[in-house]
Amino acid sequence: MGIFKLEPAFKDYIWGGTRLRDEYGKNCDYDKVAESWELSCHKDGASVISGGEFDGLTLQEYIDKVGRQVLGTNCGKFENFPILIKLIDAKDNLSVQVHPDNDYAQRVEGEYGKTEMWYVVDCDEGAELLYGFKHEISKEEFAQRIADNTLLEVTSNVPVNKGDVFFIKSGTLHAIGKGILIAEIQQNSNTTYRIYDYGRVGKDGKPRELHIEKAMDVTKLAPAESYPDTPAVRENGAEIKLLSKCEYFTTYKVDIEERAEFCADDSSFVSLLVLEGEPFVTDGEPEPTADEAVAAKKGDSLFISAGTGKFYVEGRCSLILTRIDR
């Protein structure tokens, strides 16, 4: 079978909470579980195959072993694995930050830039996030407001609700607010330029590093670009809603009542992130036997290799489905 459950890498950043362990059953001993990197070939945290013939291999080791054809022909345009998928539990506010585009990141940091998408899995009542500026400002005003700690006077705070979607192009100023649980689909990058951090200190007792000069180079000093909402459609047993589509990834919210059919053709692998339910995923015919199905639960991540062909998701559930399109 070309269907594999993945075990994530974890991050214990200071703003994290415990929901990923307490509610999603993540096996992590950190006091704070800020992020779980559910689909990752990044050097800073790789996901690992759980079960089957390739049990214990990192996803990158599996790709190296069997060949890049498991990524699909649409990934031929990327030198490295193209995306990184996370669950993020923001118990406290994240820093105000920005990510560079590919040209700047490859020149300065030696890796991809970072365009990303957020799906709000859950949030506290009244939760907000920071998303671009209220209005266009000059580079001189940007620098002055950073210096005198008035930057938040011109940034745009947006109230959020469960199910909201935000598309964050590289160069967009942003920050996840406290009380928000997010599924993040992003380019395969860990480059973040921190601009403002509420005066917090790290584990060493020192203020966390800021990256003002680099942020000045790459930040778009304007309101964030709006992204069109797409209505859900019924298809092959599922209700499917396009969340975002760009050159780096295409992502859908999928709701299934009983059984739905999908296809991982030769063009792209498919990633499934389970938001609700306990589905069975199989590349066999409907009503698979126990040894033909991969059982998943809330919070689990699955990788379906390109070329697997038709596969089925059995059971009532909600998923985030991601693939790479041209």
Side-chain angles (χ1 to χ4, degrees):
M1 289 174 59
I3 302 173
F4 306 102
K5 187 187 296 186
L6 301 176
E7 293 294 335
F10 297 103
K11 302 296 177 181
D12 62 345
Y13 305 133
I14 62 173
W15 43 260
T18 62
R19 294 187 66 181
L20 295 180
R21 180 176 58 239
D22 298 343
E23 298 178 29
Y24 288 80
K26 299 299 180 182
N27 185 20
C28 179
D29 294 330
Y30 291 153
D31 291 337
K32 296 180 178 180
V33 189
E35 297 182 353
S36 59
W37 290 19
E38 298 291 338
L39 177 76
S40 173
C41 290
H42 199 280
K43 61 182 176 58
D44 293 339
S47 46
V48 176
I49 293 174
S50 175
E53 177 183 357
F54 302 102
D55 181 57
L57 294 184
T58 67
L59 182 57
Q60 186 63 59
E61 288 170 341
Y62 163 71
I63 295 165
D64 293 342
K65 185 178 181 69
V66 302
R68 281 181 59 92
Q69 72 275 4
V70 299
L71 301 184
T73 55
N74 290 347
C75 290
K77 60 187 175 182
F78 301 110
E79 181 179 355
N80 300 313
F81 190 78
I83 61 173
L84 199 166
I85 295 179
K86 305 173 179 178
L87 287 171
I88 301 175
D89 175 22
K91 178 71 171 178
D92 199 358
N93 294 320
L94 273 70
S95 61
V96 179
Q97 56 191 239
V98 68
H99 307 299
D101 63 16
N102 282 343
D103 289 343
Y104 189 96
Q106 289 174 339
R107 174 167 53 85
V108 176
E109 309 294 345
E111 69 169 0
Y112 290 140
K114 189 173 173 184
T115 285
E116 61 192 3
M117 185 219 79
W118 295 338
Y119 177 84
V120 179
V121 178
D122 199 9
C123 61
D124 293 345
E125 184 175 353
E128 296 181 333
L129 55 77
L130 188 155
Y131 188 48
F133 291 86
K134 293 177 181 176
H135 51 78
E136 190 169 342
I137 66 172
S138 67
K139 193 168 185 177
E140 291 73 23
E141 181 180 355
F142 186 41
Q144 185 59 48
R145 288 189 176 276
I146 292 172
D148 62 20
N149 285 325
T150 62
L151 180 63
L152 298 187
E153 293 180 6
V154 292
T155 55
S156 178
N157 279 49
V158 181
V160 300
N161 296 289
K162 184 176 180 178
D164 284 350
V165 177
F166 295 87
F167 186 74
I168 301 102
K169 286 186 176 181
S170 59
T172 302
L173 196 76
H174 62 276
I176 302 172
K178 63 182 178 181
I180 304 177
L181 182 68
I182 274 178
E184 178 175 284
I185 293 81
Q186 59 160 91
Q187 286 182 265
N188 184 14
S189 172
N190 197 28
T191 296
T192 296
Y193 298 149
R194 196 179 294 131
I195 302 167
Y196 177 76
D197 196 37
Y198 307 94
R200 292 181 294 202
V201 297
K203 294 178 181 179
D204 59 1
K206 299 178 181 179
R208 297 205 297 167
E209 182 182 6
L210 301 179
H211 313 91
I212 304 302
E213 293 302 320
K214 291 179 179 178
M216 296 275 295
D217 288 341
V218 304
T219 303
K220 298 173 183 176
L221 304 176
E225 296 181 31
S226 60
Y227 192 81
D229 183 57
T230 303
V233 297
R234 296 287 309 178
E235 185 176 329
N236 297 328
E239 184 173 89
I240 302 175
K241 179 180 175 63
L242 175 67
L243 300 181
S244 65
K245 183 179 176 68
C246 66
E247 60 186 304
Y248 308 113
F249 51 79
T250 302
T251 302
Y252 303 88
K253 169 74 176 339
V254 179
D255 292 294
I256 300 166
E257 288 294 328
E258 295 181 356
R259 180 181 71 88
E261 176 188 305
F262 303 92
C263 185
D265 59 21
D266 291 335
S267 67
S268 177
F269 68 88
V270 174
S271 163
L272 299 180
L273 180 63
V274 182
L275 301 180
E276 296 288 348
E278 296 183 353
F280 288 88
V281 185
T282 176
D283 64 353
E285 293 301 318
E287 300 182 4
T289 61
D291 61 350
E292 292 177 322
V294 175
K297 65 182 186 305
K298 177 180 175 178
D300 281 348
S301 171
L302 291 88
F303 177 87
I304 296 95
S305 301
T308 296
K310 289 183 180 179
F311 66 93
Y312 301 88
V313 180
E314 303 264 359
R316 186 172 184 175
C317 61
S318 294
L319 313 166
I320 297 287
L321 185 152
T322 303
R323 54 172 284 124
I324 309 300
D325 290 328
R326 288 190 180 278

